[in-house]
Amino acid sequence: MSRYLMLLHENPAHFATKSPAELQAIVEEYIQWSDRLRGEGRLLLSEKLVDEGGRRLKQQGGQLLVSDGPYAEVKDVVGGLFILSAESYDDAVALARTCPHLRHGEVELRAIDDA
């Protein structure tokens, strides 16, 4: 089995328009999906990232530059992540295809280098 990272891309405005009841229903979908995969031994890790953004770091001219990010005008942020155990990319895609996040944003799937 290999490990795959699922990055959950989303537009923060999408969830801002939901009612508390709708948000709770969405959270329940994620919990049920992740509980099922965890029970099958296919979900190794899941994390929700905070909505306020983060920090971007880069080296420039020998100095470390730290900036706030993502910015308010950014339409796509990473809102969370899952690490899956799968036989192949096709298997990981099949697992990701059932993720409720696809109704709210996009999923980026990357193989983790276990070398």
Side-chain angles (χ1 to χ4, degrees):
M1 289 280 209
S2 297
R3 295 180 303 146
Y4 293 86
L5 170 67
M6 285 179 57
L7 293 173
L8 308 180
H9 293 266
E10 61 197 39
N11 180 337
H14 172 76
F15 293 105
T17 62
K18 303 294 183 195
S19 72
E22 290 171 319
L23 289 172
Q24 186 59 41
I26 291 169
V27 168
E28 288 299 322
E29 284 182 281
Y30 281 76
I31 290 171
Q32 289 176 7
W33 183 81
S34 60
D35 283 351
R36 180 178 60 81
L37 290 185
R38 192 174 289 110
E40 295 171 357
R42 311 295 298 273
L43 179 59
L44 305 175
L45 176 76
S46 62
E47 296 290 345
K48 166 77 175 90
L49 302 178
V50 296
D51 294 332
E52 55 82 31
R55 303 292 181 271
R56 291 179 186 236
L57 289 75
K58 68 179 179 180
Q59 287 278 350
Q60 188 170 22
Q63 300 229 338
L64 179 64
L65 301 177
V66 181
S67 60
D68 291 339
Y71 302 102
E73 64 271 12
V74 171
K75 301 243 186 289
D76 178 26
V77 298
V78 176
L81 62 94
F82 293 105
I83 295 182
L84 305 174
S85 176
E87 294 285 342
S88 64
Y89 250 120
D90 288 342
D91 187 30
V93 168
L95 292 173
R97 178 175 290 156
T98 64
C99 180
H101 190 75
L102 289 171
R103 288 191 293 281
H104 309 288
E106 295 181 6
V107 171
E108 179 181 350
L109 188 62
R110 303 283 304 270
I112 295 175
D113 187 350
D114 287 321

